[in-house]
Amino acid sequence: MKKFDLELAVGIFLLMGILSIGYLSIKLGKLDFMGGRGLAIYAEFEKVGGIKPGAVIEIAGVEVGSIKSIRLNNNLALIEFALDDTVKIHDDAIASIKTKGLIGEKYIQITPGGSEKILPTGGKIRDTESAVDIEELISKFVFGKV
């Protein structure tokens, strides 16, 4: 009887450990099983500079969403944003691809506009700033094409 109690206790402890690791993996990995966030907005860029789906979208330094997908559309990169339901994007907002630090991760920064009109789900941000290509800037400087 004692052996059965010990095995049961070890089994429960092991099950709790596995569930804890699964919970931490989902929370720290920011996985979302509920179909993404509520608001889908699009923007077209000339160059994405290596940004990937899942990258952060920020407004005023606050994370408000992530990149859901990137695809080619008429020789431009069409990026789909998955934003929180509470976020309101103005019609004249500007989406910029930025880098954290000199060679850090890429993210999208949205600069709010002053328009009265709010973009609906499926709307498109018209004003965009593509990623700065550091290698291109260095080569222009080195070879005197500045």
Side-chain angles (χ1 to χ4, degrees), residues 1-145:
M1 196 68 163
K2 274 193 162 203
K3 184 176 181 185
F4 179 73
D5 290 340
L6 180 64
E7 289 176 356
L8 182 64
V10 169
I12 290 172
F13 181 76
L14 189 62
L15 184 62
M16 288 176 29
I18 291 171
L19 290 175
S20 297
I21 289 173
Y23 175 78
L24 287 174
S25 297
I26 290 170
K27 283 299 185 184
L28 294 177
K30 297 181 183 174
L31 295 177
D32 191 5
F33 293 111
M34 302 300 175
R37 307 200 185 189
L39 186 63
I41 300 288
Y42 297 88
E44 287 183 327
F45 294 88
E46 289 180 17
K47 292 187 223 175
V48 293
I51 200 164
K52 304 273 189 243
V56 173
I57 298 171
E58 293 182 355
I59 297 176
V62 177
E63 183 179 334
V64 294
S66 62
I67 294 177
K68 189 171 183 181
S69 68
I70 302 173
R71 62 182 181 271
L72 196 60
N73 183 33
N74 297 328
N75 293 327
L76 294 172
L78 181 67
I79 299 181
E80 181 181 358
F81 304 157
L83 302 173
D84 291 333
D85 287 332
T86 58
V87 176
K88 304 293 184 224
I89 304 294
H90 296 275
D91 189 14
D92 58 347
I94 301 170
S96 309
I97 298 176
K98 302 286 186 177
T99 305
K100 291 186 179 182
L102 188 58
I103 54 173
E105 65 179 308
K106 303 250 184 212
Y107 69 100
I108 301 277
Q109 177 183 349
I110 297 178
T111 305
S115 173
E116 296 286 326
K117 193 173 179 187
I118 303 293
L119 284 176
T121 296
K124 186 188 279 187
I125 296 176
R126 294 176 304 201
D127 297 327
T128 60
E129 295 176 351
S130 294
V132 175
D133 189 358
I134 299 294
E135 292 174 357
E136 185 180 330
L137 290 175
I138 290 172
S139 71
K140 284 182 180 180
F141 179 74
V142 169
F143 296 114
K145 295 181 183 178

